[in-house]
mmCIF file of all heavy atoms in Angstrom:
data_model
loop_
_atom_site.group_PDB
_atom_site.id
_atom_site.type_symbol
_atom_site.label_atom_id
_atom_site.label_comp_id
_atom_site.label_asym_id
_atom_site.label_seq_id
_atom_site.Cartn_x
_atom_site.Cartn_y
_atom_site.Cartn_z
ATOM 1 N N VAL A 20 96.500 110.725 110.152
ATOM 2 C CA VAL A 20 95.616 110.441 109.029
ATOM 3 C C VAL A 20 95.895 108.913 108.690
ATOM 4 O O VAL A 20 96.971 108.536 108.497
ATOM 5 C CB VAL A 20 95.902 111.300 107.753
ATOM 6 C CG1 VAL A 20 95.027 110.951 106.653
ATOM 7 C CG2 VAL A 20 95.744 112.761 108.118
ATOM 8 N N ASN A 21 94.760 108.179 108.689
ATOM 9 C CA ASN A 21 94.949 106.749 108.481
ATOM 10 C C ASN A 21 95.117 106.400 107.019
ATOM 11 O O ASN A 21 94.350 106.863 106.134
ATOM 12 C CB ASN A 21 93.696 106.020 108.974
ATOM 13 C CG ASN A 21 93.594 106.099 110.474
ATOM 14 O OD1 ASN A 21 94.545 106.113 111.241
ATOM 15 N ND2 ASN A 21 92.339 106.137 110.989
ATOM 16 N N ALA A 22 96.164 105.649 106.739
ATOM 17 C CA ALA A 22 96.436 105.212 105.350
ATOM 18 C C ALA A 22 95.709 104.009 105.005
ATOM 19 O O ALA A 22 95.286 103.249 105.849
ATOM 20 C CB ALA A 22 98.024 104.972 105.253
ATOM 21 N N GLN A 23 95.419 103.796 103.682
ATOM 22 C CA GLN A 23 94.735 102.689 103.152
ATOM 23 C C GLN A 23 95.633 101.926 102.241
ATOM 24 O O GLN A 23 96.416 102.493 101.495
ATOM 25 C CB GLN A 23 93.506 103.114 102.398
ATOM 26 C CG GLN A 23 92.559 103.955 103.174
ATOM 27 C CD GLN A 23 91.496 104.601 102.203
ATOM 28 O OE1 GLN A 23 91.473 104.255 101.070
ATOM 29 N NE2 GLN A 23 90.771 105.491 102.780
ATOM 30 N N THR A 24 95.575 100.574 102.333
ATOM 31 C CA THR A 24 96.355 99.749 101.367
ATOM 32 C C THR A 24 95.288 98.961 100.620
ATOM 33 O O THR A 24 94.895 97.881 101.006
ATOM 34 C CB THR A 24 97.372 98.796 102.085
ATOM 35 O OG1 THR A 24 96.658 98.138 103.088
ATOM 36 C CG2 THR A 24 98.503 99.566 102.752
ATOM 37 N N LEU A 25 94.823 99.460 99.435
ATOM 38 C CA LEU A 25 93.798 98.811 98.641
ATOM 39 C C LEU A 25 94.377 97.669 97.894
ATOM 40 O O LEU A 25 93.562 96.729 97.591
ATOM 41 C CB LEU A 25 93.242 99.820 97.728
ATOM 42 C CG LEU A 25 92.685 101.112 98.396
ATOM 43 C CD1 LEU A 25 92.168 102.088 97.356
ATOM 44 C CD2 LEU A 25 91.501 100.751 99.374
ATOM 45 N N GLN A 26 95.644 97.637 97.631
ATOM 46 C CA GLN A 26 96.310 96.505 96.974
ATOM 47 C C GLN A 26 97.672 96.424 97.523
ATOM 48 O O GLN A 26 98.200 97.394 98.008
ATOM 49 C CB GLN A 26 96.335 96.707 95.407
ATOM 50 C CG GLN A 26 95.010 96.726 94.755
ATOM 51 C CD GLN A 26 95.173 96.749 93.217
ATOM 52 O OE1 GLN A 26 96.056 96.239 92.637
ATOM 53 N NE2 GLN A 26 94.177 97.410 92.530
ATOM 54 N N PRO A 27 98.286 95.231 97.438
ATOM 55 C CA PRO A 27 99.697 95.146 97.935
ATOM 56 C C PRO A 27 100.675 96.157 97.219
ATOM 57 O O PRO A 27 100.580 96.339 96.042
ATOM 58 C CB PRO A 27 100.110 93.692 97.543
ATOM 59 C CG PRO A 27 98.780 92.913 97.375
ATOM 60 C CD PRO A 27 97.802 93.960 96.884
ATOM 61 N N GLY A 28 101.369 96.823 98.069
ATOM 62 C CA GLY A 28 102.315 97.839 97.511
ATOM 63 C C GLY A 28 101.695 99.227 97.358
ATOM 64 O O GLY A 28 102.431 100.177 97.171
ATOM 65 N N TRP A 29 100.419 99.355 97.467
ATOM 66 C CA TRP A 29 99.764 100.650 97.415
ATOM 67 C C TRP A 29 99.596 101.264 98.774
ATOM 68 O O TRP A 29 99.434 100.597 99.718
ATOM 69 C CB TRP A 29 98.350 100.487 96.786
ATOM 70 C CG TRP A 29 98.304 100.104 95.351
ATOM 71 C CD1 TRP A 29 99.217 99.469 94.652
ATOM 72 C CD2 TRP A 29 97.235 100.427 94.484
ATOM 73 N NE1 TRP A 29 98.845 99.264 93.321
ATOM 74 C CE2 TRP A 29 97.582 99.890 93.246
ATOM 75 C CE3 TRP A 29 95.972 101.109 94.575
ATOM 76 C CZ2 TRP A 29 96.743 99.961 92.082
ATOM 77 C CZ3 TRP A 29 95.182 101.182 93.452
ATOM 78 C CH2 TRP A 29 95.569 100.656 92.211
ATOM 79 N N LEU A 30 99.771 102.636 98.840
ATOM 80 C CA LEU A 30 99.619 103.325 100.138
ATOM 81 C C LEU A 30 98.989 104.615 99.824
ATOM 82 O O LEU A 30 99.701 105.489 99.172
ATOM 83 C CB LEU A 30 100.956 103.409 100.850
ATOM 84 C CG LEU A 30 100.865 103.943 102.264
ATOM 85 C CD1 LEU A 30 99.985 103.021 103.136
ATOM 86 C CD2 LEU A 30 102.206 104.089 102.844
ATOM 87 N N GLU A 31 97.842 104.888 100.280
ATOM 88 C CA GLU A 31 97.144 106.125 99.979
ATOM 89 C C GLU A 31 96.166 106.493 101.117
ATOM 90 O O GLU A 31 95.905 105.737 101.960
ATOM 91 C CB GLU A 31 96.413 106.092 98.581
ATOM 92 C CG GLU A 31 95.475 104.912 98.467
ATOM 93 C CD GLU A 31 94.946 104.782 97.082
ATOM 94 O OE1 GLU A 31 95.736 104.677 96.051
ATOM 95 O OE2 GLU A 31 93.742 104.777 96.919
ATOM 96 N N PHE A 32 95.689 107.726 101.128
ATOM 97 C CA PHE A 32 94.629 108.125 102.040
ATOM 98 C C PHE A 32 93.697 109.095 101.472
ATOM 99 O O PHE A 32 93.987 109.674 100.396
ATOM 100 C CB PHE A 32 95.283 108.645 103.334
ATOM 101 C CG PHE A 32 96.126 109.946 103.161
ATOM 102 C CD1 PHE A 32 95.557 111.212 103.205
ATOM 103 C CD2 PHE A 32 97.434 109.848 102.951
ATOM 104 C CE1 PHE A 32 96.278 112.393 103.040
ATOM 105 C CE2 PHE A 32 98.272 111.056 102.847
ATOM 106 C CZ PHE A 32 97.623 112.227 102.855
ATOM 107 N N ASP A 33 92.612 109.261 102.069
ATOM 108 C CA ASP A 33 91.503 110.132 101.646
ATOM 109 C C ASP A 33 91.891 111.580 101.861
ATOM 110 O O ASP A 33 92.120 112.009 102.962
ATOM 111 C CB ASP A 33 90.213 109.735 102.414
ATOM 112 C CG ASP A 33 89.046 110.623 102.015
ATOM 113 O OD1 ASP A 33 89.160 111.602 101.290
ATOM 114 O OD2 ASP A 33 87.909 110.252 102.381
#
Side-chain angles (χ1 to χ4, degrees):
V20 177
N21 294 327
Q23 304 167 8
T24 53
L25 303 176
Q26 293 187 32
W29 290 26
L30 188 61
E31 52 189 57
F32 62 87
D33 181 349

